[in-house]
Amino acid sequence: AIQMTQSPSSLSASIGDRVTIICRASQDIRNDLGWYQQKPGKAPKLLIYAASSLQSGVPSRFSGSGSGTDFILTISSLQPEDFATYYCLQDYNYPRTFGQGTKVEIK
Amino acid sequence: EVQLVESGGDLVQPGGSLRLSCEASGFTFSNYWMTWVRQTPGKGLEWVANIRRDGGLQYYVDSVKGRFTISRDNAKNSLYLQLDSLRAEDTAVYYCARDDQHSTGDIYYDAFDLWGQGTMVTVSS
């Protein structure tokens, strides 16, 4: 199975900060990658698919980039509602695999 | 309202069985691949299985192959996950999710755009 490794595992940031989360795949996955946001006690929410396509209704401060093995989720200006855990998910092959998550906390 | 509602989670002994259900409403269920994802308490997400629109193709994560069975009934707008030979490590919240696949030519991208609220499965003696 393809291993997905996120970094950092957690970070502290302030409102208005630019936040970057990295996801690395153990092999080339083209651009077959999605990003999900999860808040405590809630189901995940789709933010980005195909590495850089913004899901309808998701604020434009979220963006995704990368291809091959290295991917980035960027939040351009962190808002109070963005404090959550973020996961990448490869859909290049089966089984699909998630990264271990990055928790974004308030500084 | 467009939604997914899971049910069937329970406390079960190791080696036992359980059937989870996911009822869809507000959209044409038969147009979508469907997926099960689980989350162990305090831990991350794990993709478990998915099933094609017509039910004729399924994929599983290795750790559940031969023990779990995904199925669907498009006439009832329902997705199922049969859990057999349960182990302590299967303890988790189980979510169903709709896959709104996007395509570019002949490349398809998963997009789990609709999720249920989750149902808790606890495997313990």
Side-chain angles (χ1 to χ4, degrees):
Chain A
I2 296 174
Q3 291 188 15
M4 306 301 294
T5 304
Q6 289 181 231
S7 61
S9 296
S10 64
L11 64 89
S12 296
S14 300
I15 301 301
D17 282 354
R18 182 182 183 87
V19 169
T20 297
I21 298 170
I22 294 170
C23 180
R24 285 206 166 93
S26 60
Q27 67 178 74
D28 187 340
I29 60 168
R30 299 182 306 199
N31 65 332
D32 296 11
L33 184 108
W35 288 98
Y36 294 80
Q37 175 195 67
Q38 188 180 34
K39 297 181 179 179
K42 300 294 186 181
K45 173 187 174 183
L46 174 66
L47 300 175
I48 302 282
Y49 62 91
S52 60
S53 295
L54 190 68
Q55 171 68 3
S56 175
V58 174
S60 59
R61 64 180 179 274
F62 290 93
S63 64
S65 63
S67 67
T69 59
D70 295 338
F71 301 86
I72 296 172
L73 174 69
T74 300
I75 308 172
S76 61
S77 177
L78 197 66
Q79 298 302 301
E81 60 268 31
D82 300 338
F83 291 96
T85 301
Y86 294 84
Y87 295 91
C88 60
L89 170 66
Q90 68 82 15
D91 59 286
Y92 177 75
N93 67 6
Y94 289 104
R96 306 310 197 210
T97 43
F98 285 92
Q100 82 281 12
T102 296
K103 188 173 184 179
V104 177
E105 298 175 301
I106 302 173
K107 182 183 285 185
Chain B
E1 182 183 359
V2 176
Q3 63 177 357
L4 297 170
V5 179
E6 299 104 333
S7 60
D10 205 346
L11 170 63
V12 60
Q13 292 188 340
S17 296
L18 212 52
R19 189 195 199 202
L20 306 183
S21 298
C22 169
E23 185 171 350
S25 59
F27 64 97
T28 305
F29 179 69
S30 58
N31 284 353
Y32 296 88
W33 284 69
M34 295 295 295
T35 295
W36 287 98
V37 171
R38 67 184 179 183
Q39 185 165 35
T40 51
K43 297 283 183 68
L45 300 168
E46 181 180 38
W47 180 92
V48 174
N50 73 351
I51 188 167
R52 197 171 62 188
R53 299 174 191 86
D54 63 357
L57 184 61
Q58 308 88 30
Y59 294 95
Y60 299 90
V61 67
D62 284 353
S63 59
V64 309
K65 276 181 186 175
R67 301 189 301 121
F68 290 9
T69 303
I70 188 172
S71 63
R72 66 191 295 162
D73 185 337
N74 287 341
K76 294 183 178 180
N77 293 327
S78 292
L79 174 72
Y80 306 102
L81 188 66
Q82 177 68 38
L83 290 66
D84 296 320
S85 303
L86 281 161
R87 306 168 180 166
E89 54 265 34
D90 296 318
T91 294
V93 175
Y94 285 74
Y95 295 100
C96 62
R98 181 179 78 174
D99 188 356
D100 184 25
Q101 286 188 333
H102 295 262
S103 65
T104 302
D106 58 358
I107 298 176
Y108 289 84
Y109 302 99
D110 287 351
F112 302 147
D113 69 332
L114 180 67
W115 296 68
Q117 83 287 356
T119 188
M120 183 71 205
V121 173
T122 303
V123 184
S124 175
S125 54

